[in-house]
Amino acid sequence: MEIIKLLYFSLRKNGVLQLLIAVFTFFSLIFLITLLRFSRHHDQLLNDISERNEFFENVQVFHLTDGHGGFFYGAEVHEEPIFLQADGLERMKEFHYNLRLSNEFYVASAHTGMFLEIDASQFLGGEAFHFGYEWGLTGPLADGRGNYFYQIKAASLDYAAWNLSSMEMKHGRAFQAEDFSLFSGRIPIILGYQYANYYEIGDLITMYFLAFQFDFEVIGILAENQRLFNEVTGTYLDYSILKPLISFGNPLNEEERRFQSIYYNNKSLSAYIFVDDTPEAVNQMHNIIYTAAAHLNIPYSFSMTDHTFVLHGEMVNLIHHHTGVIHRLLINSILLIALIILFLSTIKYHRQKSVYQVHALLGISKSKQWLALLLENLIFNGLTVFIALYYSVFYSGIMYTSYQRAFFSTYDISRWPIFWEAVIFDSFSFYHLSLQPALSYSLFLLLVSIIYPTIKIHQLYKGVRSK
Amino acid sequence: MIALKNITRTYKVGQHKRCVLNDLTLEIKKHESIVIEGRSGSGKTTLLNILIGLDTAFTGHYQFEEMDMSHAKSAIRAKFRQEKLGIITQHFDLLDDRNVYENIVLAIHHQKLSAVEKRKRISELLDYVNLSGYEKMPVKRLSGGEMQRVGIARALAKRPKLIVADEPTGSLDEQTRDEVLTVFKKMMQDKVQFIIVTHDKEVSAICNKVYRLQEGKLKNLSS
């Protein structure tokens, strides 16, 4: 009862506590406003993504593969790879051309498996640009004649894939239809964002593609974090060269024929086929490709692929970006609030010091004073802990609903976070990012709530003795 | 009876030790009031802090009636201050954000008295120290003499066995000191037991025994 009375007197009379409430109310409002603004911004981005990806929402996507797995449609498969057969190149070109003629489906080719090679002494970039850098393949390769080459990351795409990918430019110009037409001496390229420090628009770079030397002209540099439509994460193109899948005229010799055969084989087999999401359209597409392939004796297989990869990629990027923002925001807020708490607690103690001294003289025991101060700290620090925890869950909820919306097309505002949801959500990782700093903050305040009264009451009695 | 036997208290000052109380012995009989005089730094406040149980870092033996205060735990010493002692300090130690009533009631909030009883007791005490009707007066608006009389009323509120006063007139001018002395004389007539630490001769004059604290020991000036 005595402790309650001490607490009551302190709470009733201490103006600093009112100040504390005012400060935290202020910060809470700022926090809330930031949150709402952020939420609206996030929502806008989601809408933009949805609009950009409207094309993907009502289609099924099939991927042509290299014919070594999956179901074969080819009626007859030659023992030799098609690009080694006498008329293999012409058949590949025709098949490739026919695929894109149909009005029943849409074909786009894009892949990142065909690197470029460059003279090691000519290359300006660092190891992160090397093909296979992520697996530790960074060293130059020797050609046996004293020359050294780097294999560097490159992505190839046709005009359809370029249009689907909706990439943003940092400098220079985007690809145009004519960049994908017949080879005319130099190949236009767009460099990834990280190349901006090394090359400029208009630079000519001599590189080897499928062992053939070409001059590549830099026409643009991509903005950061751009992706091909079939990529999930946005880091690859930052260190890569974007190269159009151009057309080649008739080969002049056997060497050129071999090059073009491999090239067209890759071009066809990196194709994604987009077809309306109806059984009739899918069957029709199967028949058309089957007929074309059988007619030309082309071995191929194709498999249905997950069309959500497009949304997935964009969403993962967005969620990663925003959880990063939230993480930084929370850590900074927590540090700031923690400093304010320490500062206000110190002021509060100094203003209450005379009260504690009088209490000591009147015979209120050290432990009771400690307990009263502890309770007071716990009440107010507990309030801020509650705010921190609630907001952290709230922020996480936004991430979670974004996730839900992106992958399952549900966006139920009533599912916005309350505490128990944090425990039962199967995507707990979304809470992890923002809960971690909030829990650290709570632990910090708990320690402050316990240690601070202990130190201060000890100092008080030491002071009374020496007074 | 209050008995201090062979009390020694030393402070560590840097590398050196300073002996403030040196084998001090004192015995105070029931209803006997004493004054302890001494120069600044002679150890008066240290002795007082030992008497009220705030300072325990001494050697020797301290007995308050049946209680062995030399080895009493913190909670026992706090209860001892709460129930048996009234303390008056030089700087009044009032809470200046509260009024007169709230300051005095702090001393008896642990007692099982009804609100009416508390009001009655405080009203009587304010009358006793010539501050009738001051209950709601904010402490910060009182003069020094009035503040000290509120301090006295607070010390008396719990009806203690002993009043311990540390330089009760040390912060007062001549006129306000007289107001306080009048109250002290009245308390003396009412057989309230005192230990007063002071170097004010007029305060010393109202008590029947005067000691001087010198070189860590007490010398009886009355005998």
Side-chain angles (χ1 to χ4, degrees):
Chain A
M1 195 61 190
E2 200 170 18
I3 292 160
I4 303 295
K5 280 182 180 171
L6 290 177
L7 191 61
Y8 168 73
F9 264 110
S10 180
L11 295 182
R12 189 163 71 94
K13 288 290 184 183
N14 204 314
V16 176
L17 294 179
Q18 269 77 10
L19 184 64
L20 258 174
I21 292 166
V23 166
F24 280 108
T25 307
F26 173 75
F27 273 98
S28 302
L29 279 174
I30 295 289
F31 229 47
L32 192 62
I33 290 164
T34 312
L35 172 76
L36 290 173
R37 286 180 65 90
F38 178 80
S39 162
R40 289 177 66 175
H41 174 63
H42 184 79
D43 222 33
Q44 184 60 47
L45 289 175
L46 282 178
N47 283 335
D48 291 348
I49 290 172
S50 294
E51 280 171 21
R52 274 212 305 279
N53 293 295
E54 208 172 344
F55 171 79
F56 297 100
E57 285 180 359
N58 299 309
V59 293
Q60 282 200 34
V61 185
F62 294 84
H63 187 202
L64 285 179
T65 58
D66 60 6
H68 294 294
F71 185 74
F72 275 81
Y73 279 81
E76 185 185 347
V77 182
H78 281 257
E79 288 177 358
E80 283 185 311
I82 188 166
F83 53 83
L84 293 180
Q85 295 165 19
D87 60 344
L89 174 61
E90 284 68 27
R91 280 158 43 213
M92 283 303 303
K93 279 188 177 179
E94 192 176 343
F95 179 62
H96 178 76
Y97 181 76
N98 289 344
L99 272 184
R100 283 156 175 79
L101 273 185
S102 175
N103 290 324
E104 308 301 326
F105 49 85
Y106 185 80
V107 179
S109 292
H111 64 97
T112 55
M114 288 156 74
F115 51 80
L116 293 166
E117 288 180 314
I118 187 167
D119 189 322
S121 62
Q122 301 292 312
F123 188 59
L124 303 176
E127 290 186 340
F129 297 93
H130 295 184
F131 184 80
Y133 166 73
E134 288 75 12
W135 314 291
L137 306 175
T138 57
L141 299 170
D143 66 354
R145 287 173 292 185
N147 299 315
Y148 289 91
F149 294 89
Y150 285 128
Q151 292 180 337
I152 55 174
K153 291 171 184 168
S156 304
L157 78 174
D158 62 8
Y159 193 44
W162 169 257
N163 285 332
L164 278 183
S165 298
S166 308
M167 291 190 217
E168 290 173 21
M169 303 296 296
K170 176 181 166 70
H171 298 306
R173 68 169 178 86
F175 281 130
Q176 295 160 357
E178 52 267 32
D179 293 324
F180 296 84
S181 59
L182 205 61
F183 174 65
S184 59
R186 54 177 69 166
I187 301 174
I189 51 170
I190 293 176
L191 303 181
Y193 176 79
Q194 296 293 341
Y195 271 108
N197 298 326
Y198 304 104
Y199 294 99
E200 290 179 355
I201 310 298
D203 281 356
L204 273 182
I205 312 170
T206 302
M207 289 183 283
Y208 294 85
F209 176 54
L210 295 175
F212 261 69
Q213 182 178 304
F214 293 96
D215 286 331
F216 294 89
E217 183 186 358
V218 179
I219 62 163
I221 292 173
L222 289 175
E224 195 174 13
N225 257 352
Q226 300 303 299
R227 294 175 304 102
L228 288 170
F229 72 91
N230 59 336
E231 272 190 291
V232 171
T233 58
T235 53
Y236 189 86
L237 287 189
D238 285 353
Y239 293 91
S240 186
I241 293 173
L242 213 53
K243 179 174 70 61
L245 284 165
I246 56 173
S247 303
F248 289 95
N250 290 331
L252 299 176
N253 52 44
E254 200 51 38
E255 211 175 357
E256 274 189 25
R257 168 173 288 278
R258 184 179 169 79
F259 163 79
Q260 285 193 24
S261 297
I262 298 171
Y263 176 78
Y264 276 95
N265 190 44
N266 274 301
K267 189 174 178 179
S268 293
L269 298 180
S270 61
Y272 289 83
I273 300 160
F274 299 85
V275 61
D276 284 348
D277 190 14
T278 61
E280 297 78 23
V282 171
N283 280 334
Q284 196 173 8
M285 183 271 294
H286 275 236
N287 286 335
I288 291 169
I289 294 180
Y290 174 81
T291 308
H295 174 67
L296 294 165
N297 196 16
I298 300 287
Y300 75 96
S301 71
F302 66 105
S303 57
M304 192 172 170
T305 188
D306 181 9
H307 73 287
T308 57
F309 58 78
V310 179
L311 283 172
H312 183 274
E314 293 214 35
M315 282 313 304
V316 165
N317 274 351
L318 187 66
I319 289 169
H320 273 282
H321 174 68
H322 283 177
T323 46
V325 170
I326 288 169
H327 209 213
R328 285 193 292 276
L329 181 70
L330 276 171
I331 287 173
N332 289 331
S333 307
I334 282 162
L335 281 174
L336 185 67
I337 292 172
L339 283 175
I340 290 170
I341 286 172
L342 276 181
F343 178 67
L344 289 176
S345 298
T346 306
I347 295 176
K348 182 162 70 87
Y349 172 75
H350 280 292
R351 286 186 63 167
Q352 282 184 294
K353 196 176 172 185
S354 60
V355 178
Y356 300 137
Q357 281 177 340
V358 171
H359 286 166
L361 286 175
L362 293 176
I364 293 167
S365 70
K366 197 172 168 180
S367 57
K368 282 178 183 168
Q369 293 216 55
W370 176 82
L371 199 56
L373 191 56
L374 176 75
L375 282 174
E376 195 177 312
N377 282 350
L378 284 177
I379 287 171
F380 283 92
N381 293 349
L383 188 70
T384 62
V385 164
F386 176 78
I387 291 169
L389 284 174
Y390 187 80
Y391 280 144
S392 72
V393 176
F394 199 61
Y395 272 123
S396 306
I398 292 174
M399 294 299 99
Y400 185 76
T401 46
S402 303
Y403 174 87
Q404 290 265 316
R405 185 180 180 180
F407 296 105
F408 308 113
S409 302
T410 59
Y411 192 62
D412 184 1
I413 196 95
S414 66
R415 283 183 58 79
W416 275 38
I418 51 174
F419 268 115
W420 58 266
E421 279 189 296
V423 183
I424 63 161
F425 273 170
D426 49 7
S427 287
F428 193 77
S429 57
F430 285 101
Y431 287 86
H432 168 72
L433 276 174
S434 55
L435 265 186
Q436 197 178 38
L439 287 173
S440 312
Y441 168 70
S442 309
L443 186 64
F444 167 79
L445 278 190
L446 186 68
L447 287 174
V448 167
S449 300
I450 294 169
I451 292 171
Y452 204 78
T454 309
I455 293 171
K456 290 301 173 189
I457 294 295
H458 175 73
Q459 283 175 347
L460 171 83
Y461 274 78
K462 210 174 160 186
V464 169
R465 277 202 300 272
S466 61
K467 189 182 167 187
Chain B
M1 192 179 75
I2 302 160
L4 296 168
K5 280 185 191 166
N6 309 115
I7 301 292
T8 298
R9 174 71 163 94
T10 52
Y11 288 103
K12 202 172 177 184
V13 185
Q15 299 291 321
H16 306 285
K17 280 186 176 177
R18 183 174 163 241
C19 184
V20 180
L21 302 178
N22 184 14
D23 203 26
L24 180 146
T25 295
L26 172 68
E27 200 172 288
I28 307 167
K29 294 191 177 100
K30 205 173 181 183
H31 301 304
E32 187 179 60
S33 290
I34 68 162
V35 167
I36 299 169
E37 292 180 358
R39 289 185 307 163
S40 293
S42 60
K44 301 191 297 290
T45 302
T46 303
L47 177 58
L48 216 60
N49 278 340
I50 290 171
L51 281 166
I52 66 177
L54 275 177
D55 192 339
T56 52
F58 61 88
T59 59
H61 186 75
Y62 171 26
Q63 182 87 23
F64 189 96
E65 296 179 337
E66 293 81 29
M67 293 170 71
D68 178 3
M69 296 299 295
S70 327
H71 303 103
K73 288 184 177 171
S74 170
I76 303 282
R77 284 184 278 114
K79 201 169 172 60
F80 159 70
R81 278 196 300 281
Q82 193 172 54
E83 292 177 354
K84 304 205 169 181
L85 292 186
I87 298 169
I88 300 165
T89 62
Q90 180 179 353
H91 301 292
F92 326 128
D93 283 325
L94 299 176
L95 303 178
D96 58 9
D97 61 340
R98 300 181 201 185
N99 62 30
V100 169
Y101 177 84
E102 286 169 338
N103 267 278
I104 299 172
V105 84
L106 263 180
I108 51 170
H109 69 89
H110 65 286
Q111 294 185 353
K112 288 176 183 170
L113 296 173
S114 68
V116 175
E117 286 170 321
K118 283 178 185 172
R119 287 200 176 279
K120 185 165 176 283
R121 187 185 289 187
I122 290 168
S123 173
E124 286 167 1
L125 281 166
L126 288 176
D127 191 35
Y128 187 78
V129 297
N130 298 322
L131 289 173
S132 295
Y134 273 58
E135 281 91 338
K136 291 185 179 171
M137 179 75 79
V139 159
K140 62 180 92 171
R141 287 171 59 186
L142 299 177
S143 69
E146 288 169 336
M147 281 191 190
Q148 190 57 295
R149 281 183 280 153
V150 172
I152 293 168
R154 187 182 64 187
L156 291 170
K158 62 178 91 164
R159 294 179 178 158
K161 297 261 183 188
L162 174 70
I163 296 280
V164 177
D166 184 10
E167 301 282 9
T169 57
S171 300
L172 305 177
D173 58 31
E174 200 172 328
Q175 189 191 336
T176 52
R177 186 190 65 173
D178 288 344
E179 292 169 11
V180 171
L181 273 177
T182 307
V183 177
F184 270 112
K185 282 174 186 167
K186 200 193 285 186
M187 288 160 70
M188 195 64 75
Q189 285 165 8
D190 294 338
K191 305 284 182 197
V192 176
Q193 190 176 13
F194 282 103
I195 296 176
I196 306 177
V197 167
T198 186
H199 52 250
D200 185 334
K201 294 289 178 194
E202 290 201 40
V203 175
S204 300
I206 64 170
C207 284
N208 36 22
K209 260 191 178 173
V210 179
Y211 290 90
R212 170 163 292 160
L213 186 57
Q214 205 170 352
E215 293 171 354
K217 288 189 166 57
L218 282 173
K219 186 179 175 188
N220 189 344
L221 302 180
S222 319
S223 54

